[in-house]
């Protein structure tokens, strides 16, 4: 079966660094997405990885290891506005997204 | 301003009634999607359409229907056959090409009592 696993909730301190992990099992693989979703709002795109390695985009970076079926999202210099849910999604061989349940990130002052 | 609109933001219905959720986009995207989001679960695909006048069932299509008569519009009808219709419904669109990034509307929270 297809499955995306990520932690339910994480807590971090303002100004610190946090890493949100995601493991995936998909039928075929065409990339791994991260989206940010504030409570009651639409998800917004953060990153797309299809090749192994780290991609940096400002304070956010995303890493992919296809051999391990593993990705992480790294958030640096945390700000209060980063409090949100972070959704991991794998794209299968039919180019359909398989979504994880999301990781709720709580930022404390 | 280009984007996706969903209306209304909140919708209340009595059990046994059909209800239609609106989704409009002016991004000129070919593909459109409907997802359902429940607490503690990932987004689940209801229906998708890659071109006008064509649509495909997703993983949880039972109790739902859609139409795609115009490129800009992809309304979702939640019928009385849907056993647990109360949920947050998200519409998304995707441009043609290699991007695969989906753009989401603000969502409609449907409550059926």
């Amino acid at each position: 079966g297809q499955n995306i696993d990520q932690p339910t909730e994480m807590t971090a301190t303002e100004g610190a660094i946090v890493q949100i992990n995601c493991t995936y099992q998909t039928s075929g693989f065409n990339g791994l997405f991260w989206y940010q979703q504030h409570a009651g709002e639409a998800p917004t795109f953060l990153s797309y990885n299809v090749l192994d390695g780290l991609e940096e985009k400002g304070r956010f970076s995303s890493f992919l290891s296809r051999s391990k079926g593993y990705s992480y999202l790294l958030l640096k210099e945390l700000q209060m506005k980063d409090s949100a849910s972070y959704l991991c999604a794998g794209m299968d061989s039919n180019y359909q997204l398989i979504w994880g349940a999301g990781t709720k990130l709580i930022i404390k002052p | 301003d280009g984007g996706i609109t969903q209306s209304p933001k909140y919708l209340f219905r009595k059990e046994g009634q059909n209800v239609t959720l609106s989704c409009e986009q002016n991004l000129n995207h070919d593909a459109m999607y409907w997802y359902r989001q429940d607490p503690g679960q990932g987004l689940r695909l209801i229906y998708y359409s890659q071109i006008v006048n064509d649509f495909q069932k997703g993983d949880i299509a039972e109790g739902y229907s859609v139409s795609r008569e115009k490129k800009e519009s992809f309304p979702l009808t939640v019928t009385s056959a849907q056993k647990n219709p109360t949920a947050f419904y998200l519409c998304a669109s995707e441009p043609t090409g290699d991007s695969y990034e989906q753009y989401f509307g603000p969502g409609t929270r449907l409550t059926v009592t």
Side-chain angles (χ1 to χ4, degrees):
Chain A
Q2 305 196 96
N3 194 52
I4 304 288
D5 281 317
Q6 54 181 130
T8 302
E9 186 174 295
M10 299 181 70
T11 302
T13 304
E14 191 177 14
I17 299 173
V18 70
Q19 177 174 313
I20 303 174
N21 297 324
C22 170
T23 56
Y24 65 87
Q25 284 180 303
T26 56
S27 301
F29 179 74
N30 280 302
L32 193 291
F33 291 79
W34 286 97
Y35 280 78
Q36 181 191 61
Q37 186 181 25
H38 287 96
E41 298 184 9
T44 54
F45 171 82
L46 290 177
S47 67
Y48 169 56
N49 294 64
V50 66
L51 299 176
D52 289 351
L54 183 69
E55 295 213 0
E56 299 184 66
K57 199 185 287 186
R59 295 189 298 114
F60 292 9
S61 302
S62 56
F63 172 82
L64 177 68
S65 168
R66 288 174 299 173
S67 62
K68 295 182 180 177
Y70 167 70
S71 173
Y72 67 71
L73 181 70
L74 190 72
L75 291 74
K76 302 177 185 175
E77 300 168 18
L78 286 170
Q79 301 175 11
M80 297 304 292
K81 67 179 182 179
D82 298 329
S83 292
S85 287
Y86 291 86
L87 313 181
C88 176
M91 180 170 277
D92 67 13
S93 57
N94 294 318
Y95 296 91
Q96 295 300 321
L97 290 176
I98 311 301
W99 295 84
T103 299
K104 182 178 181 180
L105 178 63
I106 299 168
I107 310 295
K108 295 187 174 178
Chain B
D1 261 332
I4 301 180
T5 57
Q6 290 184 246
S7 60
K9 180 72 172 172
Y10 299 96
L11 193 53
F12 298 88
R13 280 294 183 269
K14 294 290 186 186
E15 201 173 302
Q17 294 179 332
N18 292 354
V19 59
T20 297
L21 280 59
S22 163
C23 177
E24 303 280 330
Q25 55 101 356
N26 61 4
L27 299 167
N28 199 34
H29 290 172
D30 286 312
M32 295 187 75
Y33 302 81
W34 273 106
Y35 292 98
R36 170 183 173 138
Q37 188 173 36
D38 295 283
Q41 296 190 44
L43 301 185
R44 291 185 289 168
L45 183 64
I46 305 173
Y47 268 97
Y48 65 100
S49 168
Q50 294 182 318
I51 198 167
V52 174
N53 292 322
D54 186 49
F55 48 82
Q56 309 295 328
K57 291 182 179 180
D59 300 321
I60 56 166
E62 186 175 346
Y64 300 98
S65 66
V66 293
S67 63
R68 188 85 187 277
E69 297 175 3
K70 299 187 300 181
K71 188 174 187 177
E72 303 80 15
S73 179
F74 191 42
L76 173 75
T77 297
V78 184
T79 76
S80 56
Q82 169 48 233
K83 299 285 184 258
N84 296 298
T86 295
F88 188 48
Y89 290 88
L90 286 160
C91 179
S93 69
E94 181 186 311
T96 305
D98 296 334
S99 167
Y100 306 123
E101 176 187 343
Q102 293 188 7
Y103 295 72
F104 286 84
T108 292
R109 188 166 296 281
L110 174 65
T111 302
V112 177
T113 58

